[in-house]
Amino acid sequence: QDAQVGRQKAQACAVCHGPQGIATAPDAPNLAGQPEVYLTAQLRAYRDGTRKHEIMSVMAKPLSDADIANLAAWFASIKVEAQAPR
Amino acid sequence: QDAQVGRQKAQACAVCHGPQGIATAPDAPNLAGQPEVYLTAQLRAYRDGTRKHEIMSVMAKPLSDADIANLAAWFASIKVEAQAPR
């Protein structure tokens, strides 16, 4: 898979998931730094209907396996650091 | 909701989602800094079966609305910073 190709493809995702994968919509998850295996599984689930969402089901429908692999590689490549409150 | 109560409750989640909400299991998502509305919706979906996962369906079943609100508040309170590769 190719994270740079995924980065281009991910421009369509930025409107809800943010340009850096930190969600801009309150009901959308952050995708930045999510494990690649998890992202691939969720995109496939939305594509085959085992996971449903009014927007994501539509977004995932046309994705090829390569698209999914590249998108997952891109978002997984974004480094995240977490800081729990004291 | 109460993030500190959620923090205690979340000890059970750490085994897959990590002590700071950064996933330790490859097929589990990071929860750190996820939007509260999103987290609440997912826990409810696992609890009522509209979203299914062999582990999460079991974990969510006994959660009360207050448990879900506290867990969501806790994970949402963890600050995350994202750094996309050049």
Side-chain angles (χ1 to χ4, degrees):
Chain A
Q1 75 285 17
D2 184 332
Q4 282 315 321
V5 172
R7 182 173 204 162
Q8 298 313 325
K9 190 91 193 160
Q11 285 166 356
C13 316
V15 60
C16 296
H17 293 290
Q20 306 273 339
I22 299 296
T24 46
D27 55 350
N30 299 328
L31 299 181
Q34 289 291 8
E36 209 162 330
V37 167
Y38 176 76
L39 289 171
T40 302
Q42 299 317 304
L43 284 173
R44 284 171 182 259
Y46 280 125
R47 185 176 65 179
D48 66 28
T50 48
R51 186 176 175 184
K52 294 185 184 50
H53 183 274
E54 59 182 336
I55 299 173
M56 280 308 295
S57 300
V58 172
M59 297 297 278
K61 193 59 72 196
L63 296 178
S64 67
D65 291 350
D67 291 333
I68 288 179
N70 295 336
L71 284 164
W74 160 246
F75 283 110
S77 74
I78 301 171
K79 297 258 166 312
V80 278
E81 271 172 33
Q83 234 216 318
R86 284 290 154 280
Chain B
Q1 76 284 15
D2 183 332
Q4 282 314 321
V5 172
R7 183 174 204 162
Q8 298 312 326
K9 190 87 191 161
Q11 283 166 358
C13 316
V15 61
C16 296
H17 294 291
Q20 308 272 338
I22 300 297
T24 47
D27 54 351
N30 299 328
L31 299 180
Q34 291 290 8
E36 209 161 330
V37 167
Y38 176 76
L39 289 171
T40 301
Q42 299 317 305
L43 284 172
R44 286 172 180 259
Y46 280 125
R47 185 176 64 179
D48 66 30
T50 47
R51 186 177 175 184
K52 293 182 183 53
H53 183 275
E54 55 180 339
I55 299 175
M56 281 307 295
S57 300
V58 173
M59 297 296 279
K61 193 60 68 197
L63 296 178
S64 66
D65 290 349
D67 291 333
I68 287 178
N70 294 337
L71 284 164
W74 159 246
F75 283 111
S77 74
I78 301 171
K79 297 257 166 315
V80 278
E81 271 172 33
Q83 229 211 323
R86 285 288 157 277

